[in-house]
Amino acid sequence: MAASTLVSAWGPLRPGVPGLCRCRQPRGLWAHAWRLPEPAGSGRSVAAVSGPGASGTDRYCLELLRKRDYEGYLCSLLLPAESRSSAFALRAFNVELAQVKDSVSEKTIGLMRMQFWKKTVDDIYCDSPPHQPVAIELWKAVKRHNLTKRWLMKIIDEREKNLDDKAYRNIQELENYAENTQSSLLYLTLETLGIKDLHADHAASHIGKAQGIVTCLRATPYHGSRRRVFLPMDICMLHGVSQEDFLRKSQDKNVRDVVYDMASQAHLHLKHARSFHKSVPVKAFPAFLQTVALEDYLKKIQQVDFDIFHPSLQQKNTLLPLSLYIQSWRKRY
C-alpha cells in the first residue's frame, strides 16, 4: 500500500504538524497519575486492586500483566469493578499464548503448549479447569459473563499458526492475524461489560487491527536484535526494502516509507473505529481505552520522522496512567 494512497487518511505525516508538539508536564501531574489509576509497585497495592478476598490465582494474573502487558494492565484497572478481574484473566490468557513463540526452541514444543490451551478451554466449558492460575481465573470469567468460546479458540488458533518465523506476506495477512487475536480479545472484553452491539463490534475490529499493526512496528527493534523481521513483504517490496535493511537499522528514506505506510494504515483503522462513536453504547467505551496508547505511539513515531529505531520510541510513557484516567472520564475512545 503506497504512502501516496494513504496521505489522505492521515495528512502530511512529518514533524512540526500543529497540535502534535509535546509539552513538558509538571512533576505534580506525574505523581497524581500514579496515585490515581496505577496501584502497581508493591504486593500491598496489587492486593488492593484485587480486593480483600482476592485469591492467589487472581494475583498471579495481575502480576503477569503488570510485567508483560503493562498497557493492558492499566486499561483493565479502569474497567468497572464487575468486569475488572475477568479482563485481567482474558489478558493474562493472551499473554500466556503470546509468550509461547519466544519461549520455545522448537515449533513442536510450541504446538504442544497450544494444544494444552485448546484442551484447557474445552475443559473450562465443561466446568473442569486444570489447576493453573490463568485457567482458573478464565473459568471464573466464563462462568460470570457467559463468554463466547469461539473467540477464545480463535486467539489460540491464530497464535498457533503464527509459530512459524515468517514475515507477513502482505498487510492484509497482518490485519487478519490482528483481527483473530487483538479484536477477539476486545470482543470478549465487551462481553464482560455486558455489551453485544454490532457498532461496538465494528469499532473493536478496527481497533484490534490498529493494535496489531502498532505491535508489529513496536516489536521490530526487538525482533531485529534476534535477526527476525516480520514486517509485511508487500510494503517492503513496494519501497525496495530488504529484511537486511531492518537488521542493520537503516535510516534510509525508503525504510522510513515502509514504516510510514504501516503507521498510516493503523491510523486509518483508528479513524474508522471512531466513525462509529455516536452509535457505540457509552458503556462500551472503557473496553477501547487502549486507543490512548496507540495514538501516543503513532504521534511519537511521526515526531521522529518514522525512524522505527529511534531511542525515544523505546522509553515508557510515564504520563500514560494519567492520560488513560482522564480519557476514562471523558467517555470517549
Side-chain angles (χ1 to χ4, degrees):
M1 192 170 295
S4 59
T5 65
L6 290 168
V7 171
S8 59
W10 201 347
L13 295 177
R14 289 292 181 264
V17 178
L20 288 183
C21 28
R22 289 177 286 185
C23 301
R24 185 177 297 277
Q25 300 291 335
R27 285 182 181 272
L29 282 180
W30 184 91
H32 189 58
W34 287 88
R35 187 167 62 250
L36 287 174
E38 164 47 3
S42 70
R44 187 169 65 176
S45 35
V46 169
V49 178
S50 307
S55 64
T57 55
D58 193 8
R59 291 194 186 94
Y60 177 92
C61 291
L62 276 169
E63 285 298 330
L64 181 62
L65 283 186
R66 192 169 64 85
K67 294 174 182 176
R68 302 294 182 183
D69 181 13
Y70 184 66
E71 290 174 3
Y73 170 73
L74 291 176
C75 292
S76 298
L77 284 176
L78 291 167
L79 290 175
E82 61 273 16
S83 304
R84 201 173 300 142
S85 61
S86 297
F88 286 138
L90 288 168
R91 286 192 174 273
F93 166 72
N94 186 57
V95 169
E96 289 278 7
L97 295 174
Q99 289 183 145
V100 171
K101 185 172 182 176
D102 285 334
S103 63
V104 299
S105 55
E106 297 178 17
K107 182 181 176 181
T108 305
I109 300 173
L111 290 172
M112 290 172 62
R113 291 196 185 178
M114 292 301 181
Q115 189 57 43
F116 164 79
W117 282 108
K118 286 182 181 179
K119 185 177 186 307
T120 293
V121 171
D122 282 335
D123 290 344
I124 282 172
Y125 281 85
C126 292
D127 278 339
S128 180
H131 293 290
Q132 197 273 355
V134 175
I136 291 171
E137 287 300 308
L138 189 60
W139 170 69
K140 293 178 185 176
V142 168
K143 295 291 287 182
R144 190 179 296 123
H145 304 286
N146 193 27
L147 300 178
T148 303
K149 182 180 180 181
R150 180 174 75 258
W151 302 130
L152 295 170
M153 286 301 197
K154 269 183 177 279
I155 297 173
I156 301 173
D157 289 339
E158 197 65 34
R159 295 276 187 194
E160 183 179 70
K161 286 190 287 185
N162 196 245
L163 288 174
D164 293 315
D165 279 340
K166 295 180 180 177
Y168 299 101
R169 288 174 297 178
N170 49 54
I171 189 72
Q172 290 76 26
E173 195 172 86
L174 170 56
E175 288 175 335
N176 185 62
Y177 172 76
E179 166 69 30
N180 288 328
T181 53
Q182 301 294 342
S183 299
S184 292
L185 188 61
L186 286 175
Y187 300 147
L188 289 161
T189 305
L190 287 171
E191 289 186 351
T192 69
L193 294 167
I195 302 293
K196 290 192 176 181
D197 178 85
L198 185 61
H199 298 295
D201 286 348
H202 281 162
S205 175
H206 285 293
I207 292 171
K209 289 173 182 175
Q211 175 82 54
I213 294 170
V214 167
T215 299
C216 186
L217 287 172
R218 290 175 74 170
T220 295
Y222 168 74
H223 289 143
S225 69
R226 305 182 70 177
R227 302 209 50 86
R228 296 173 180 172
V229 179
F230 297 110
L231 299 176
M233 290 187 287
D234 63 335
I235 298 181
C236 292
M237 291 173 64
L238 177 67
H239 295 289
V241 175
S242 67
Q243 290 192 349
E244 189 60 34
D245 290 323
F246 283 99
L247 293 178
R248 62 182 177 84
K249 300 183 180 181
S250 169
Q251 296 180 10
D252 293 345
K253 182 182 180 299
N254 56 345
V255 172
R256 286 184 281 114
D257 283 344
V258 170
V259 179
Y260 169 79
D261 277 10
M262 291 185 64
S264 296
Q265 187 70 353
H267 180 86
L268 192 62
H269 279 300
L270 288 180
K271 185 177 178 181
H272 284 327
R274 285 171 177 146
S275 70
F276 298 102
H277 182 273
K278 293 182 179 178
S279 304
V280 172
V282 174
K283 190 179 176 183
F285 289 3
F288 302 151
L289 280 172
Q290 66 193 66
T291 56
V292 174
L294 298 180
E295 285 282 18
D296 178 67
Y297 179 82
L298 291 173
K299 284 182 180 179
K300 282 182 177 179
I301 205 168
Q302 180 182 9
Q303 288 164 353
V304 298
D305 200 18
F306 305 94
D307 174 10
I308 201 170
F309 300 102
H310 197 279
S312 66
L313 298 177
Q314 308 304 316
Q315 297 170 1
K316 181 182 288 188
N317 179 4
T318 55
L319 288 175
L320 181 60
L322 179 60
S323 300
L324 288 167
Y325 186 74
I326 292 172
Q327 190 76 349
S328 70
W329 281 97
R330 286 179 175 170
K331 305 299 182 186
R332 292 166 51 192
Y333 65 87

PDB file of all heavy atoms in Angstrom, residues 27 45 51 58 80 83-84 87 90 102 127 135 170 203 223 234 242 270 280 330 333:
ATOM      1  N   ARG A  27       5.731  18.144  37.448  1.00  0.00           N
ATOM      2  CA  ARG A  27       6.007  16.956  38.251  1.00  0.00           C
ATOM      3  C   ARG A  27       4.783  16.497  39.025  1.00  0.00           C
ATOM      4  O   ARG A  27       4.564  15.321  39.224  1.00  0.00           O
ATOM      5  CB  ARG A  27       7.148  17.240  39.233  1.00  0.00           C
ATOM      6  CG  ARG A  27       8.521  17.284  38.590  1.00  0.00           C
ATOM      7  CD  ARG A  27       9.568  17.523  39.642  1.00  0.00           C
ATOM      8  NE  ARG A  27      10.895  17.582  39.052  1.00  0.00           N
ATOM      9  CZ  ARG A  27      11.652  16.527  38.863  1.00  0.00           C
ATOM     10  NH1 ARG A  27      11.231  15.339  39.206  1.00  0.00           N
ATOM     11  NH2 ARG A  27      12.848  16.644  38.326  1.00  0.00           N
ATOM     12  N   SER A  45      -0.213  -2.998  47.088  1.00  0.00           N
ATOM     13  CA  SER A  45      -1.062  -2.314  46.133  1.00  0.00           C
ATOM     14  C   SER A  45      -1.748  -3.277  45.189  1.00  0.00           C
ATOM     15  O   SER A  45      -2.873  -3.063  44.787  1.00  0.00           O
ATOM     16  CB  SER A  45      -0.282  -1.274  45.343  1.00  0.00           C
ATOM     17  OG  SER A  45       1.019  -1.657  45.080  1.00  0.00           O
ATOM     18  N   GLY A  51      -8.739  -6.773  45.758  1.00  0.00           N
ATOM     19  CA  GLY A  51      -9.784  -6.815  46.772  1.00  0.00           C
ATOM     20  C   GLY A  51      -9.360  -7.679  47.937  1.00  0.00           C
ATOM     21  O   GLY A  51      -8.467  -8.515  47.816  1.00  0.00           O
ATOM     22  N   ASP A  58      -5.790 -14.860  41.204  1.00  0.00           N
ATOM     23  CA  ASP A  58      -6.094 -13.500  40.786  1.00  0.00           C
ATOM     24  C   ASP A  58      -4.823 -12.651  40.807  1.00  0.00           C
ATOM     25  O   ASP A  58      -4.518 -11.916  39.865  1.00  0.00           O
ATOM     26  CB  ASP A  58      -7.146 -12.907  41.732  1.00  0.00           C
ATOM     27  CG  ASP A  58      -7.749 -11.622  41.187  1.00  0.00           C
ATOM     28  OD1 ASP A  58      -7.456 -11.286  40.027  1.00  0.00           O
ATOM     29  OD2 ASP A  58      -8.498 -10.959  41.916  1.00  0.00           O
ATOM     30  N   PRO A  80     -15.037  -1.162  34.923  1.00  0.00           N
ATOM     31  CA  PRO A  80     -15.924  -1.279  36.083  1.00  0.00           C
ATOM     32  C   PRO A  80     -15.549  -2.483  36.940  1.00  0.00           C
ATOM     33  O   PRO A  80     -15.044  -3.488  36.429  1.00  0.00           O
ATOM     34  CB  PRO A  80     -17.302  -1.467  35.448  1.00  0.00           C
ATOM     35  CG  PRO A  80     -17.187  -0.861  34.091  1.00  0.00           C
ATOM     36  CD  PRO A  80     -15.779  -1.109  33.651  1.00  0.00           C
ATOM     37  N   SER A  83     -16.239  -6.085  35.983  1.00  0.00           N
ATOM     38  CA  SER A  83     -15.593  -6.627  34.788  1.00  0.00           C
ATOM     39  C   SER A  83     -14.085  -6.780  34.948  1.00  0.00           C
ATOM     40  O   SER A  83     -13.436  -7.481  34.167  1.00  0.00           O
ATOM     41  CB  SER A  83     -15.855  -5.707  33.582  1.00  0.00           C
ATOM     42  OG  SER A  83     -17.238  -5.520  33.379  1.00  0.00           O
ATOM     43  N   ARG A  84     -13.525  -6.138  35.957  1.00  0.00           N
ATOM     44  CA  ARG A  84     -12.073  -5.987  36.068  1.00  0.00           C
ATOM     45  C   ARG A  84     -11.332  -7.323  36.162  1.00  0.00           C
ATOM     46  O   ARG A  84     -10.400  -7.585  35.403  1.00  0.00           O
ATOM     47  CB  ARG A  84     -11.750  -5.108  37.278  1.00  0.00           C
ATOM     48  CG  ARG A  84     -10.383  -4.464  37.235  1.00  0.00           C
ATOM     49  CD  ARG A  84     -10.253  -3.475  38.391  1.00  0.00           C
ATOM     50  NE  ARG A  84     -11.257  -2.423  38.336  1.00  0.00           N
ATOM     51  CZ  ARG A  84     -11.862  -1.909  39.397  1.00  0.00           C
ATOM     52  NH1 ARG A  84     -11.587  -2.360  40.604  1.00  0.00           N
ATOM     53  NH2 ARG A  84     -12.745  -0.939  39.251  1.00  0.00           N
ATOM     54  N   ALA A  87     -11.367  -9.207  32.946  1.00  0.00           N
ATOM     55  CA  ALA A  87     -10.467  -8.616  31.949  1.00  0.00           C
ATOM     56  C   ALA A  87      -9.020  -9.001  32.231  1.00  0.00           C
ATOM     57  O   ALA A  87      -8.251  -9.286  31.310  1.00  0.00           O
ATOM     58  CB  ALA A  87     -10.624  -7.096  31.941  1.00  0.00           C
ATOM     59  N   LEU A  90      -8.603 -12.535  30.952  1.00  0.00           N
ATOM     60  CA  LEU A  90      -8.529 -12.610  29.491  1.00  0.00           C
ATOM     61  C   LEU A  90      -7.178 -12.141  28.974  1.00  0.00           C
ATOM     62  O   LEU A  90      -6.570 -12.774  28.099  1.00  0.00           O
ATOM     63  CB  LEU A  90      -9.648 -11.758  28.877  1.00  0.00           C
ATOM     64  CG  LEU A  90     -11.063 -12.320  29.017  1.00  0.00           C
ATOM     65  CD1 LEU A  90     -12.099 -11.264  28.638  1.00  0.00           C
ATOM     66  CD2 LEU A  90     -11.231 -13.559  28.140  1.00  0.00           C
ATOM     67  N   ASP A 102       8.188 -17.060  21.777  1.00  0.00           N
ATOM     68  CA  ASP A 102       9.536 -16.641  22.162  1.00  0.00           C
ATOM     69  C   ASP A 102      10.175 -17.544  23.211  1.00  0.00           C
ATOM     70  O   ASP A 102      11.375 -17.418  23.484  1.00  0.00           O
ATOM     71  CB  ASP A 102       9.510 -15.202  22.693  1.00  0.00           C
ATOM     72  CG  ASP A 102       9.365 -14.183  21.568  1.00  0.00           C
ATOM     73  OD1 ASP A 102       9.771 -14.499  20.436  1.00  0.00           O
ATOM     74  OD2 ASP A 102       8.836 -13.092  21.825  1.00  0.00           O
ATOM     75  N   ASP A 127     -16.705 -27.132  32.915  1.00  0.00           N
ATOM     76  CA  ASP A 127     -16.584 -26.863  34.355  1.00  0.00           C
ATOM     77  C   ASP A 127     -15.498 -27.703  35.022  1.00  0.00           C
ATOM     78  O   ASP A 127     -15.636 -28.113  36.170  1.00  0.00           O
ATOM     79  CB  ASP A 127     -17.922 -27.083  35.074  1.00  0.00           C
ATOM     80  CG  ASP A 127     -18.828 -25.881  34.949  1.00  0.00           C
ATOM     81  OD1 ASP A 127     -18.317 -24.778  34.677  1.00  0.00           O
ATOM     82  OD2 ASP A 127     -20.042 -26.032  35.126  1.00  0.00           O
ATOM     83  N   ALA A 135      -5.907 -20.406  33.958  1.00  0.00           N
ATOM     84  CA  ALA A 135      -7.046 -21.252  33.589  1.00  0.00           C
ATOM     85  C   ALA A 135      -8.183 -21.121  34.601  1.00  0.00           C
ATOM     86  O   ALA A 135      -9.362 -21.035  34.235  1.00  0.00           O
ATOM     87  CB  ALA A 135      -6.606 -22.703  33.472  1.00  0.00           C
ATOM     88  N   ASN A 170       1.613  -9.865   3.260  1.00  0.00           N
ATOM     89  CA  ASN A 170       1.048  -8.552   2.936  1.00  0.00           C
ATOM     90  C   ASN A 170       0.367  -7.963   4.160  1.00  0.00           C
ATOM     91  O   ASN A 170       0.221  -8.642   5.183  1.00  0.00           O
ATOM     92  CB  ASN A 170       0.070  -8.661   1.758  1.00  0.00           C
ATOM     93  CG  ASN A 170      -0.938  -9.796   1.958  1.00  0.00           C
ATOM     94  OD1 ASN A 170      -1.623  -9.847   2.982  1.00  0.00           O
ATOM     95  ND2 ASN A 170      -1.001 -10.720   1.005  1.00  0.00           N
ATOM     96  N   ALA A 203     -16.244  -1.247  15.758  1.00  0.00           N
ATOM     97  CA  ALA A 203     -15.181  -0.417  16.329  1.00  0.00           C
ATOM     98  C   ALA A 203     -14.058  -1.299  16.884  1.00  0.00           C
ATOM     99  O   ALA A 203     -12.869  -1.029  16.661  1.00  0.00           O
ATOM    100  CB  ALA A 203     -15.745   0.483  17.423  1.00  0.00           C
ATOM    101  N   HIS A 223      12.727  -7.790  17.551  1.00  0.00           N
ATOM    102  CA  HIS A 223      12.865  -8.910  16.624  1.00  0.00           C
ATOM    103  C   HIS A 223      14.148  -8.788  15.806  1.00  0.00           C
ATOM    104  O   HIS A 223      14.815  -9.789  15.523  1.00  0.00           O
ATOM    105  CB  HIS A 223      11.654  -8.972  15.690  1.00  0.00           C
ATOM    106  CG  HIS A 223      10.408  -9.419  16.364  1.00  0.00           C
ATOM    107  ND1 HIS A 223       9.163  -8.905  16.057  1.00  0.00           N
ATOM    108  CD2 HIS A 223      10.200 -10.323  17.358  1.00  0.00           C
ATOM    109  CE1 HIS A 223       8.249  -9.478  16.814  1.00  0.00           C
ATOM    110  NE2 HIS A 223       8.856 -10.340  17.614  1.00  0.00           N
ATOM    111  N   ASP A 234       4.875  -7.164   1.147  1.00  0.00           N
ATOM    112  CA  ASP A 234       4.382  -6.373   0.015  1.00  0.00           C
ATOM    113  C   ASP A 234       4.776  -4.902   0.144  1.00  0.00           C
ATOM    114  O   ASP A 234       5.175  -4.272  -0.834  1.00  0.00           O
ATOM    115  CB  ASP A 234       2.876  -6.521  -0.155  1.00  0.00           C
ATOM    116  CG  ASP A 234       2.074  -5.998   1.029  1.00  0.00           C
ATOM    117  OD1 ASP A 234       2.618  -5.948   2.155  1.00  0.00           O
ATOM    118  OD2 ASP A 234       0.892  -5.636   0.827  1.00  0.00           O
ATOM    119  N   SER A 242      14.799  -4.431   1.840  1.00  0.00           N
ATOM    120  CA  SER A 242      15.021  -5.838   2.180  1.00  0.00           C
ATOM    121  C   SER A 242      14.988  -6.021   3.689  1.00  0.00           C
ATOM    122  O   SER A 242      15.063  -5.051   4.456  1.00  0.00           O
ATOM    123  CB  SER A 242      16.379  -6.303   1.640  1.00  0.00           C
ATOM    124  OG  SER A 242      17.438  -5.638   2.339  1.00  0.00           O
ATOM    125  N   LEU A 270      -7.973   3.425  13.270  1.00  0.00           N
ATOM    126  CA  LEU A 270      -8.479   4.187  14.416  1.00  0.00           C
ATOM    127  C   LEU A 270      -9.544   5.189  13.961  1.00  0.00           C
ATOM    128  O   LEU A 270     -10.549   5.398  14.645  1.00  0.00           O
ATOM    129  CB  LEU A 270      -7.337   4.918  15.119  1.00  0.00           C
ATOM    130  CG  LEU A 270      -6.367   4.045  15.917  1.00  0.00           C
ATOM    131  CD1 LEU A 270      -5.279   4.912  16.548  1.00  0.00           C
ATOM    132  CD2 LEU A 270      -7.096   3.260  17.003  1.00  0.00           C
ATOM    133  N   VAL A 280     -21.969   3.674  19.083  1.00  0.00           N
ATOM    134  CA  VAL A 280     -21.489   2.702  20.074  1.00  0.00           C
ATOM    135  C   VAL A 280     -22.031   3.070  21.455  1.00  0.00           C
ATOM    136  O   VAL A 280     -21.954   4.233  21.859  1.00  0.00           O
ATOM    137  CB  VAL A 280     -19.947   2.679  20.112  1.00  0.00           C
ATOM    138  CG1 VAL A 280     -19.432   1.825  21.265  1.00  0.00           C
ATOM    139  CG2 VAL A 280     -19.401   2.154  18.786  1.00  0.00           C
ATOM    140  N   ARG A 330     -13.749  11.103  30.177  1.00  0.00           N
ATOM    141  CA  ARG A 330     -14.293  11.851  29.033  1.00  0.00           C
ATOM    142  C   ARG A 330     -15.348  11.070  28.267  1.00  0.00           C
ATOM    143  O   ARG A 330     -16.043  11.631  27.417  1.00  0.00           O
ATOM    144  CB  ARG A 330     -13.151  12.222  28.069  1.00  0.00           C
ATOM    145  CG  ARG A 330     -12.278  13.355  28.595  1.00  0.00           C
ATOM    146  CD  ARG A 330     -11.168  13.649  27.603  1.00  0.00           C
ATOM    147  NE  ARG A 330     -10.368  14.786  27.999  1.00  0.00           N
ATOM    148  CZ  ARG A 330      -9.228  15.146  27.416  1.00  0.00           C
ATOM    149  NH1 ARG A 330      -8.772  14.427  26.380  1.00  0.00           N
ATOM    150  NH2 ARG A 330      -8.550  16.182  27.833  1.00  0.00           N
ATOM    151  N   TYR A 333     -13.320   7.435  22.988  1.00  0.00           N
ATOM    152  CA  TYR A 333     -12.248   6.499  22.639  1.00  0.00           C
ATOM    153  C   TYR A 333     -11.565   6.961  21.377  1.00  0.00           C
ATOM    154  O   TYR A 333     -12.038   7.867  20.727  1.00  0.00           O
ATOM    155  CB  TYR A 333     -12.764   5.066  22.492  1.00  0.00           C
ATOM    156  CG  TYR A 333     -13.724   4.845  21.346  1.00  0.00           C
ATOM    157  CD1 TYR A 333     -13.234   4.542  20.088  1.00  0.00           C
ATOM    158  CD2 TYR A 333     -15.108   4.905  21.527  1.00  0.00           C
ATOM    159  CE1 TYR A 333     -14.120   4.303  19.024  1.00  0.00           C
ATOM    160  CE2 TYR A 333     -15.980   4.675  20.488  1.00  0.00           C
ATOM    161  CZ  TYR A 333     -15.486   4.376  19.243  1.00  0.00           C
ATOM    162  OH  TYR A 333     -16.341   4.154  18.187  1.00  0.00           O
TER     163      TYR A 333
END
